[in-house]
Amino acid sequence: MKKFTNVADIGDINKALAEAAEIKRNRFAYTGLGRNKTLMMIFFNSSLRTRLSTQKAAMNLGMNVIVLDVNQGAWKLETERGVIMDGDKAEHLLEAIPVMGCYCDMIGVRSFAGLKDKAEDYEDRVIEQFIRYSGRPVFSMEAATRHPLQSFADLITIEEFKTKPRPKVVMTWAPHPRALPQAVPNSFAEWMNATDYDFVITHPEGYELDPKFVGNARVEYDQRKAFEGADFIYAKNWSAYTDPNYGKVLSTDRGWTVDAEKMALTDNAFFMHCLPVRRNMIVTDDVIESDRSIVIPEAANREISAQVVIKRLLESL
Ligand code: AN0
Ligand code: CP
């Protein structure tokens, strides 16, 4: 594997899941693999889980890790080519990327969608430039359109908790006060479509996702109907994708909050969320604290998904 930005990069899903299970049994089996190798993690946006789990995964493989928060201490970076740089940005990404590549063997990048220019976001310009100009294997730590380390961890988690061969997995939109990217739901849909689960997406009208990611999923606008018989409820907020509302918050209707009454419609479903989550907007306290909430094991699996990916990239060096 030379890069990791989407589900196709991981290849055979069952093989990847088997490798994840093997790593989970003994996460220190490959401590020699990363010896004298350096991972550079570049953050254009905040993070708790990705930062910690990815660093831990690299350490399990014996790597050295450098973390750079671009907005804290680095020069402000211009990302557009052709701009006359007479503003506040002191350095261009086109120099910064190859320079970063000089100091490491592998790069992880977090760069969210700006939610202003849909075409720019959906070209995933920042991470694509890292792939092109760094000279190193690159993996996504959430780019503009996808969050594949999260989706892989989500898949590992569903495999661990499912009690039927073909569970019903429901991804539900839920309210949030600020505009969030579509990366997590896009990516989750992409990975669910790579399985044979019964996959349903529910959201208010106006929150339709890019059909490329929706794929074969069933879209149900009635949240209660969608929840019926579900084995997993995967909650997430996202801002509008469709024009002319791209990047906008169209609703903060708490009628869409996941609560105990709606969970009672399911087949005793597990509750999932990638975190960070806003309680009593996305999900009520009692649901996230219930014994069917698996948000913590889900977060724990981020170490495992990251370790599979970093291990495969190390093996390709
Ligand atoms: C981000 C998002 O929705 O993409 C990161 C989630 C992993 N969430 C927030 O910014 C709150
Ligand atoms: N789920 C996730 O990626 O969390 P962070 O934004 O804290 O990294």
Side-chain angles (χ1 to χ4, degrees):
M1 199 164 76
K2 285 286 177 197
K3 66 142 182 122
F4 178 72
T5 60
N6 60 42
V7 73
D9 292 329
I10 204 79
D12 186 307
I13 286 269
N14 290 321
K15 257 194 188 156
L17 285 167
E19 203 170 330
E22 186 213 337
I23 283 173
K24 199 154 178 176
R25 278 192 299 274
N26 179 8
R27 59 196 80 193
F28 304 110
Y30 300 93
T31 45
L33 191 63
R35 192 167 172 269
N36 293 336
K37 297 280 189 278
T38 299
L39 166 65
M40 186 176 285
M41 293 164 56
I42 313 285
F43 288 93
F44 289 84
N45 311 91
S46 304
S47 166
L48 186 149
R49 277 142 294 274
T50 304
R51 175 185 301 264
L52 300 176
S53 62
T54 310
Q55 180 158 0
K56 177 63 163 57
M59 284 163 30
N60 294 346
L61 292 162
M63 295 184 86
N64 301 311
V65 183
I66 302 176
V67 183
L68 178 68
D69 291 291
V70 171
N71 299 320
Q72 280 169 27
W75 302 108
K76 271 202 175 162
L77 293 177
E78 177 58 61
T79 55
E80 289 292 308
R81 196 174 168 279
V83 168
I84 299 167
M85 290 174 58
D86 61 354
D88 62 339
K89 293 177 177 158
E91 179 154 27
H92 203 288
L93 208 54
L94 290 171
E95 283 76 52
I97 291 174
V99 167
M100 291 172 190
C102 294
Y103 309 140
C104 64
D105 302 282
M106 187 185 299
I107 303 182
V109 182
R110 166 163 284 202
S111 173
F112 289 178
L115 297 178
K116 290 198 171 66
D117 181 336
K118 179 164 156 179
E120 182 182 324
D121 288 345
Y122 273 71
E123 279 168 28
D124 248 315
R125 232 178 253 176
V126 173
I127 195 157
E128 287 303 324
Q129 292 193 78
F130 272 91
I131 291 167
R132 227 162 125 187
Y133 300 117
S134 70
R136 302 295 175 198
V138 170
F139 63 92
S140 167
M141 300 195 299
E142 186 172 342
T145 61
R146 295 175 177 87
H147 191 2
L149 285 176
Q150 180 65 51
S151 315
F152 185 14
D154 297 335
L155 175 62
I156 295 167
T157 310
I158 294 172
E159 282 296 303
E160 287 173 345
F161 283 87
K162 76 178 189 187
T163 53
K164 318 175 171 157
R166 192 167 176 269
K168 178 175 176 183
V169 178
V170 178
M171 177 168 80
T172 181
W173 181 93
H176 188 278
R178 303 224 182 109
L180 295 184
Q182 299 99 34
V184 170
N186 283 347
S187 202
F188 186 70
E190 184 176 76
W191 285 68
M192 289 300 104
N193 279 316
T195 71
D196 66 353
Y197 302 159
D198 179 14
F199 179 49
V200 177
I201 305 176
T202 182
H203 56 70
E205 282 189 36
Y207 279 101
E208 291 76 15
L209 293 164
D210 183 344
K212 178 172 118 188
F213 294 106
V214 174
N216 297 324
R218 278 188 289 132
V219 176
E220 169 59 66
Y221 291 95
D222 182 337
Q223 190 189 31
R224 285 190 161 73
K225 227 175 180 181
F227 272 43
E228 280 169 18
D231 299 297
F232 292 87
I233 297 296
Y234 188 92
K236 184 70 185 86
N237 173 267
W238 61 89
S239 61
Y241 166 76
T242 47
D243 295 322
N245 293 321
Y246 180 71
K248 293 211 175 92
V249 174
L250 305 179
S251 163
T252 52
D253 178 5
R254 288 176 52 236
W256 278 79
T257 302
V258 178
D259 61 15
E261 181 241 316
K262 283 178 210 161
M263 289 301 284
L265 300 169
T266 70
D267 191 4
N268 199 20
F270 290 105
F271 175 80
M272 298 179 73
H273 189 281
C274 65
L275 308 182
V277 72
R278 291 195 184 227
R279 283 178 173 222
N280 304 309
M281 286 297 295
I282 303 280
V283 58
T284 56
D285 290 314
D286 54 344
V287 169
I288 198 166
E289 290 169 3
S290 77
D291 60 3
R292 303 306 282 176
S293 169
I294 54 173
V295 296
I296 306 303
E298 181 184 1
N301 279 330
R302 289 293 307 274
E303 179 181 340
I304 306 303
S305 65
Q307 197 168 330
V308 172
V309 167
I310 296 170
K311 172 175 171 277
R312 287 189 176 189
L313 294 175
L314 280 170
E315 286 164 348
S316 82
L317 289 178

